[in-house]
Amino acid sequence: MHIHSDDSNEVDAERRYDRVLSAIYHKTSPMQRPGVTPKKIYLSLVAHGSYDRAGVKASLQAALDNDGAIAYKDEDGQLRFALLTDDSVDRLVAEYPEVASHETIREFRGDT
């Protein structure tokens, strides 16, 4: 399997970005926790996929910057990512009420 470098013309940043959002979505289904660790995203898209770690990290940052996702720490201090959708945010706040005060969540819900 060939791993694409971000310096290569073969890498489509938009496709990679969409794959990162898709990985978050699939790893946070209603039968799972409302957030996924970066390790599981990297495992899916780097170890078992065709992207390099730096590219996936850049797409995760873009998802945060574009308000497509939110990063938070769970009760164990583990960083997790969740999508900024109504269903995802509702599940996140139900399981971790303390994140309701997170600026991004407040803006998303119109609580500002």
Side-chain angles (χ1 to χ4, degrees):
M1 178 184 311
H2 175 70
I3 297 192
H4 302 292
S5 165
D6 277 340
D7 295 331
S8 168
N9 290 332
E10 298 176 61
V11 171
D12 181 348
E14 186 174 340
R15 179 170 156 68
R16 186 187 63 228
Y17 176 84
D18 289 342
R19 289 291 312 259
V20 166
L21 292 179
S22 179
I24 294 171
Y25 173 79
H26 288 292
K27 302 221 177 274
T28 58
S29 70
M31 301 303 289
Q32 302 174 63
R33 294 178 88 165
V36 61
T37 63
K39 180 179 179 179
K40 288 184 180 181
I41 296 168
Y42 292 132
L43 181 64
S44 175
L45 298 177
V46 177
H48 298 297
S50 59
Y51 299 104
D52 68 11
R53 185 177 176 90
V56 171
K57 184 175 181 179
S59 291
L60 281 169
Q61 185 61 54
L64 296 175
D65 294 345
N66 295 326
D67 293 330
I70 184 172
Y72 69 95
K73 291 194 177 182
D74 67 15
E75 69 276 1
D76 298 323
Q78 177 68 46
L79 181 66
R80 293 184 174 275
F81 290 88
L83 294 180
L84 277 175
T85 64
D86 290 331
D87 292 340
S88 180
V89 168
D90 289 347
R91 288 183 57 234
L92 180 60
V93 171
E95 185 156 339
Y96 301 106
E98 64 277 8
V99 301
S101 63
H102 191 289
E103 182 179 341
T104 303
I105 296 286
R106 291 182 46 204
E107 287 175 8
F108 179 79
R109 296 177 115 187
D111 295 340
T112 57

